[in-house]
Amino acid sequence: MKKEYAVIGLGRFGGSICRALSEEGMEVMAMDVDEDRVNEYSTIASHAVVGDSTDESVLKSLGIRNFDLVIVAIGDNLKASILTTIMLKELGVKNIWVKAQNDYHEKILSKIGADRIVHPERDMGKRIAHNIMSNNVLDYLELSDEHSIMEIVAGRKMDGKSLIELDVRANYGVNIVAIKRGKDIMVSPQATECINKGDILIVIGADTDISRFEKNLVEE
């Protein structure tokens, strides 16, 4: 079954996460108190809802505890961000990621049990979306609108196979430019180099090709 995500707060940061998850075909519920923002994402997200996330009855009516992950991306309202996080925790949401405004906000979020705290000035929305969707993707760097570098953990399907056997360039259009193995890193690895499960692969290519590579070869 597809995982279901909820994004609360549709400013620039929350909106970019919502858009990136939706573009990858994920089930996303978008929520904001601003009707205009919600209307903007009504054709992008699976569901778009106008609502106050500090109102427990609203969250319950949406079945918020059934979502696999909820991202709290509320803008400048620290009180709303903190109250929403507390309520999500109390309602039993399994995984809560929250946008922090500053270090003070981060300390509070840590104390009330946010599972992950994100600083938008340090983490691009698209990068966060990739990390949300895949346990295999460790890091993500956007080179352009269509090309990226990713750190991807090698899975079972690649274990014991050489780069020449996998021939990822021909089959997927991506290049493995380095392999991290423990404390060692191999830059421009030889074609005869075998990959072990758990190796970290530094992959470069078009976003669509990397996504295909990850889905077909990396995911268990």
Side-chain angles (χ1 to χ4, degrees), residues 17-51:
I17 291 180
C18 180
R19 192 180 295 275
L21 288 170
S22 298
E23 284 173 357
E24 290 290 337
M26 300 294 122
E27 291 286 326
V28 186
M29 182 191 75
M31 180 180 180
D32 200 289
V33 290
D34 188 314
E35 189 173 353
D36 290 337
R37 282 182 179 173
V38 172
N39 289 338
E40 184 184 342
Y41 284 89
S42 62
T43 57
I44 297 168
S46 312
H47 310 284
V49 180
V50 179

